[in-house]
Amino acid sequence: MFGIIVSALMLTFGIFLKITKNPGMAQNKKFAWVFIGIGLASLIFKTVNYK
């Protein structure tokens, strides 16, 4: 259950980085797709294997 929450938070943070207009976050915007990809893949595999 903890892994699902962490995956969802990573996905949410990646989406936040993608849509934010904050100039302080501008240097981290290139990592947005990394967080989205890892969060989404992890969330999919954790929900498929959840028992």
Side-chain angles (χ1 to χ4, degrees), residues 1-16 35-36 38-44 46-47:
M1 186 68 175
F2 179 72
I4 293 172
I5 294 170
V6 171
S7 300
L9 287 175
M10 284 180 62
L11 180 63
T12 305
F13 183 66
I15 293 170
F16 167 75
F35 280 112
I36 292 171
I38 292 172
L40 187 62
S42 180
L43 188 62
I44 289 171
K46 288 195 183 296
T47 55

Side-chain angles (χ1 to χ4, degrees), residues 8 19 24-25 27-29 38-39 45 50:
I19 63 173
M25 293 283 191
Q27 62 189 4
N28 296 327
K29 287 183 81 97
I38 292 172
F45 288 120
Y50 186 72

